[in-house]
Amino acid sequence: MLLETVIGLEIHAELKTNTKIFCSCSTEFGAKPNENTCPICLGIPGTLPVLNEEVVNLAIKAGRAVNCTINNYNKMDRKNYFYPDLTKNYQTSQYDLPMCVNGMVNFTYEGKEVSVRISRIHIEEDAGKLVHLEDEPVSLIDYNRAGVPLVEIVTEPDLRSPGEAAAFMRELKGILEYAEISDCRMEQGSIRCDANISIRTYGQEEYGTKVEIKNINSFREVQKALEKEEKRQKELYQYKEEYKIKQETRRWDAGKGKTLSMRSKEEAHDYRYFPEPDLTPIIIPQEKVDTIEKSLPEMPIEKRARFVKEYGINEKEASIIIGSKVLAGFYEEIVKEGGNPKTASNYILGDLLRLLNANNMEPEYIKISPKNLVDLFKIIEEGKISNTAGKEVFKEMFESNRPVLEIIEEKGLSQISCSDEIEKLVDEVLNNNPKSIEDFKAGKIKAVGFLMGQVMKASKGKANPQVAKQMIEEKLKNK
């Protein structure tokens, strides 16, 4: 039986505003518990919300960034349910008249063009956060996040594999980041994903029973959670037990590596939506939409194509670099300072990412100045230090951003290019390795590489490799 996976995503992204959606409390992350709260976001009876205009502006920007139509007339609704981290017993959201509809995101996955339709984008308030204490019979509640503005981006079920879903999320994160709609800090929970997955036989038009996986907050975990749920459902199909798949909400347990049932899936009528009586309808002039659309910067898909065309790097390299707005800006600054685009790409994708990962750092914490890095490139190209020494200098620059020459002098890394000095080293190595000379005469070219290694060892890596190799080859020919 040939089975097809069908996936749709609901992404919640915190908007990049200074204050909450309905009050003037700060949206700052990391404040003391319940510090950023007031009677409005705590849901005290008698308080009235006031809609933050910047929330509307950023939602419009998000909509146009993914090619949505903006509804010039929309409204807020009450979504009724009880959770302890939502004091009002309802969430102020949007139901039948969302702000943005009918969008599209295009991206490439494994060499294939993928198009994902965006069903809707609506604005809503976030809930607070439950803090579960280990070995304690109680949980604590931090309401700092209550009232933080969100956009919920809902896709159509157009994704066909967990890998595609993770790739789509990366593409969407890039769009939101480049347009400065959200800071997309997944480790802080500012972008989270609910994934809907079902299985059907190939050629079947109707969808299978849908299962929702809640609150996944990293690309890797999105893919892993969907892969496990895909496997679970496909196995039930293979044993003709697909009737056991129920429409439900499951959670991803990363430690156990499996999805676990939470509750049966609610339908829209379960929430008893009705228009928010404390807020007037939102009327958006078309002129406002046009102005915001014109303010959109170069999007990731455009930047990727430009990097490939202008800088001669391949699409995979460009995709990794533009995956972070900060990294892409850093790369372009290096090129503007006169750095070779390919050399810059190699250093970013190799040494820089390796050091960032080893230190668990985000690109925004890079200390190296683009000018300093270009100075390093030039010194290596001029043969003043070797590539190996260059990597050592780069590591020191990553930690301190000290000037290149200062690091080279302190560590004694200057390359030996003087012919007389190198010749002494070559002669010494040849005298100590008569067997390698015989091997060369017998046609064993690898002998040159061995002798080169001995010269570099004797010079502690400082000998100019081009000069040393040429000298070894000339002397061997004359032996």
Side-chain angles (χ1 to χ4, degrees):
M1 183 192 303
L2 285 175
L3 298 173
E4 180 179 47
T5 302
V6 178
I7 297 170
L9 301 178
E10 299 170 12
I11 294 102
H12 293 83
E14 290 184 2
L15 294 173
K16 203 172 181 179
T17 59
N18 293 324
T19 55
K20 294 184 180 181
I21 187 168
F22 300 125
C23 66
S24 59
C25 288
S26 171
T27 56
E28 174 197 11
F29 179 82
K32 293 177 182 177
N34 298 305
E35 185 175 43
N36 295 336
T37 56
C38 72
I40 293 173
C41 55
L42 287 175
I44 304 299
T47 57
L48 288 172
V50 177
L51 181 59
N52 184 341
E53 186 177 4
E54 186 59 14
V55 171
V56 176
N57 294 340
L58 290 175
I60 294 169
K61 187 185 272 193
R64 291 310 300 138
V66 296
N67 308 298
C68 280
T69 299
I70 307 302
N71 282 328
N72 300 106
Y73 179 93
N74 55 96
K75 62 180 174 63
M76 304 302 298
D77 299 279
R78 287 190 182 182
K79 180 181 182 182
N80 295 275
Y81 62 95
F82 174 75
Y83 283 112
D85 52 358
L86 199 65
T87 55
K88 299 183 295 187
N89 293 344
Y90 66 85
Q91 179 189 38
T92 306
S93 181
Q94 292 189 302
Y95 175 45
D96 56 331
L97 285 175
M99 196 165 290
C100 318
V101 293
N102 302 330
M104 180 76 75
V105 172
N106 300 303
F107 63 99
T108 303
Y109 176 69
E110 294 186 341
K112 181 182 73 173
E113 290 297 319
V114 180
S115 295
V116 177
R117 291 169 295 158
I118 304 298
S119 169
R120 59 185 281 153
I121 300 176
H122 63 259
I123 59 174
E124 62 187 21
E125 61 182 336
D126 206 347
K129 182 181 179 182
L130 289 174
V131 181
H132 304 291
L133 301 176
E134 193 173 348
D135 300 324
E136 291 287 341
V138 297
S139 292
L140 303 180
I141 308 174
D142 180 2
Y143 287 112
N144 279 342
R145 201 171 67 185
V148 167
L150 302 175
V151 282
E152 181 173 346
I153 302 166
V154 182
T155 78
E156 296 288 356
D158 291 342
L159 296 154
R160 292 294 173 264
S161 74
E164 270 190 13
F168 168 79
M169 277 205 68
R170 287 190 180 90
E171 192 71 24
L172 183 65
K173 175 182 178 286
I175 291 169
L176 298 175
E177 204 173 31
Y178 276 81
E180 297 188 340
I181 294 159
S182 172
D183 61 21
C184 294
R185 291 183 182 273
M186 302 193 85
E187 74 281 3
Q188 295 181 5
S190 60
I191 182 166
R192 311 187 290 277
C193 175
D194 298 341
N196 296 292
I197 179 170
S198 63
I199 304 295
R200 64 183 177 186
T201 56
Y202 273 102
Q204 179 182 321
E205 287 189 16
E206 57 272 21
Y207 297 119
T209 303
K210 177 177 67 175
V211 169
E212 181 183 41
I213 309 171
K214 292 290 285 185
N215 287 336
I216 320 168
N217 62 358
S218 82
F219 304 132
R220 188 176 299 163
E221 296 305 313
V222 164
Q223 185 163 347
K224 284 164 64 177
L226 285 169
E227 283 172 348
K228 288 292 183 179
E229 181 60 21
E230 177 185 53
K231 182 183 177 189
R232 184 185 77 86
Q233 292 189 27
K234 282 187 173 180
E235 284 176 350
L236 288 170
Y237 266 85
Q238 285 161 3
Y239 290 108
K240 300 188 183 303
E241 294 181 331
E242 60 268 27
Y243 63 88
K244 290 184 177 179
I245 301 171
K246 302 198 178 334
Q247 184 165 318
E248 62 178 341
T249 297
R250 299 177 73 89
R251 68 179 178 86
W252 169 240
D253 189 318
K256 294 180 179 177
K258 61 181 181 179
T259 64
L260 302 171
S261 181
M262 289 173 65
R263 59 180 182 269
S264 61
K265 175 63 180 165
E266 300 88 347
E267 300 287 353
H269 62 258
D270 293 323
Y271 291 122
R272 304 185 313 282
Y273 281 100
F274 64 85
E276 170 57 72
D278 291 336
L279 289 165
T280 59
I282 303 167
I283 299 170
I284 304 170
Q286 188 57 41
E287 296 78 19
K288 185 185 190 75
V289 177
D290 295 340
T291 300
I292 289 172
E293 183 174 2
K294 287 174 185 173
S295 73
L296 283 170
E298 182 181 44
M299 290 288 104
I301 192 168
E302 298 160 345
K303 191 178 286 287
R304 184 187 299 112
R306 181 170 64 80
F307 275 26
V308 171
K309 184 178 179 181
E310 282 188 21
Y311 303 134
I313 59 178
N314 64 44
E315 191 160 317
K316 185 178 179 181
E317 292 167 336
S319 294
I320 296 171
I321 292 171
I322 67 133
S324 161
K325 183 182 178 184
V326 173
L327 211 56
F330 181 66
Y331 175 76
E332 290 219 88
E333 284 299 317
I334 294 167
V335 176
K336 282 178 186 173
E337 288 286 348
N340 179 282
K342 187 63 180 173
T343 305
S345 171
N346 289 341
Y347 263 84
I348 285 175
L349 299 177
D351 297 72
L352 182 60
L353 287 182
R354 180 176 52 77
L355 287 168
L356 286 171
N357 290 333
N359 290 277
N360 199 25
M361 288 170 59
E362 294 296 321
E364 47 261 45
Y365 299 111
I366 295 171
K367 292 180 182 177
I368 304 171
S369 72
K371 186 180 183 309
N372 256 2
L373 195 50
V374 172
D375 288 343
L376 175 62
F377 296 165
K378 288 177 180 175
I379 286 169
I380 294 170
E381 286 168 12
E382 290 167 0
K384 292 179 180 176
I385 63 171
S386 66
N387 280 317
T388 304
K391 291 182 181 297
E392 190 176 339
V393 173
F394 181 84
K395 186 175 183 297
E396 179 64 36
M397 289 167 64
F398 176 84
E399 293 169 357
S400 66
N401 193 35
R402 290 163 57 205
V404 179
L405 292 175
E406 183 181 305
I407 297 169
I408 292 170
E409 187 176 340
E410 180 186 285
K411 293 181 174 289
L413 297 172
S414 294
Q415 190 161 268
I416 302 168
S417 294
C418 172
S419 297
D420 291 344
E421 286 185 59
I422 292 175
E423 188 170 16
K424 285 179 186 176
L425 290 168
V426 169
D427 287 340
E428 185 180 321
V429 166
L430 290 174
N431 291 334
N432 292 335
N433 295 278
K435 187 176 182 308
S436 294
I437 297 172
E438 294 305 316
D439 287 345
F440 178 79
K441 288 178 179 178
K444 296 180 180 178
I445 306 301
K446 287 184 178 179
V448 176
F450 172 77
L451 293 167
M452 263 294 295
Q454 295 303 302
V455 170
M456 297 307 292
K457 185 178 178 182
S459 69
K460 296 180 180 176
K462 294 182 184 179
N464 185 307
Q466 288 83 13
V467 175
K469 186 181 179 188
Q470 185 179 358
M471 199 170 285
I472 288 169
E473 288 174 344
E474 286 177 359
K475 287 181 178 286
L476 285 173
K477 285 174 186 176
N478 296 325
K479 287 286 183 181

